[in-house]
């Protein structure tokens, strides 16, 4: 089903503050952000991230263009910071939503899924940068 809600943390909502974390042996906070908008077919997040490969502002926006909850694949727009692919594609695979994009000739992917019993959103970047962060609501 191509709606974002099955792949993001339970209770996530627009206007919510989130903490970005990495997990190896221990949990480590590596940034923060705000969910600017969130609906069945779009999420827009702005914040700051500081990891070995990148420190700076972070903007992630994903929009499922077909707006059809009954389909398992289709067109979408993916933006990561200043890079935008208006011709990206998404597909539902088991327990995650996978998005494939092309940013200036570099293949990039993102996988969204629930983690820790739905308390966290797992966001895995693949391609020229491999990084997995977890988004957790800040009380």
């Amino acid at each position: 089903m191509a709606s974002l809600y099955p792949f993001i943390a339970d209770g996530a909502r627009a206007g919510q503050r989130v903490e970005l974390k990495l997990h190896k042996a221990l949990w480590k906070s590596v940034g923060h952000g705000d969910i600017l908008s969130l609906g069945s077919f779009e999420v827009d997040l702005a914040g700051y991230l500081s990891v070995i490969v990148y420190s700076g502002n972070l903007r992630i926006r994903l929009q499922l263009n077909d707006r059809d909850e009954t389909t398992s694949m289709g067109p979408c727009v993916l933006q990561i910071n200043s890079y935008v692919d208006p011709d990206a594609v998404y597909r539902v695979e088991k327990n995650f939503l996978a998005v494939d994009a092309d940013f200036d000739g570099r293949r990039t992917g993102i996988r969204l899924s629930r983690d820790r019993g739905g308390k966290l959103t797992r966001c895995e970047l693949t391609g020229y940068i491999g990084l997995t962060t977890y988004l957790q609501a800040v009380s």
Side-chain angles (χ1 to χ4, degrees):
M1 172 178 289
S3 168
L4 293 175
Y5 288 116
F7 308 105
I8 58 173
D10 291 328
R13 65 186 184 288
Q16 191 172 46
R17 186 95 168 143
V18 294
E19 188 173 349
L20 284 73
K21 297 182 174 191
L22 293 180
H23 184 259
K24 297 292 180 193
L26 300 171
W27 287 99
K28 179 181 178 186
S29 180
V30 293
H32 55 83
D34 295 294
I35 301 173
L36 303 177
S37 66
L38 177 61
S40 294
F41 307 107
E42 182 174 8
V43 62
D44 192 355
L45 175 92
Y48 182 83
L49 177 67
S50 180
V51 292
I52 293 171
V53 295
Y54 176 78
S55 287
N57 291 330
L58 177 66
R59 180 76 182 265
I60 298 176
R61 185 175 65 89
L62 173 62
Q63 179 179 350
L64 307 181
N65 290 342
D66 55 7
R67 306 181 69 79
D68 183 354
E69 290 186 6
T70 65
T71 187
S72 62
M73 61 188 313
C76 63
V77 175
L78 178 63
Q79 175 183 353
I80 300 177
N81 289 344
S82 63
Y83 297 102
V84 179
D85 184 353
D87 299 314
V89 294
Y90 74 86
R91 66 189 178 288
V92 175
E93 292 187 10
K94 298 182 184 178
N95 296 327
F96 63 88
L97 179 75
V99 177
D100 295 312
D102 186 327
F103 295 141
D104 295 331
R106 292 189 223 163
R107 296 301 302 160
T108 302
I110 221 172
R111 290 184 188 186
L112 294 176
S113 61
R114 288 183 176 174
D115 203 287
R116 307 289 181 215
K119 295 177 184 172
L120 304 176
T121 301
R122 178 185 168 117
C123 182
E124 181 181 354
L125 295 172
T126 61
Y128 68 98
I129 294 178
L131 177 68
T132 300
T133 61
Y134 298 81
L135 285 71
Q136 181 177 28
V138 177
S139 300

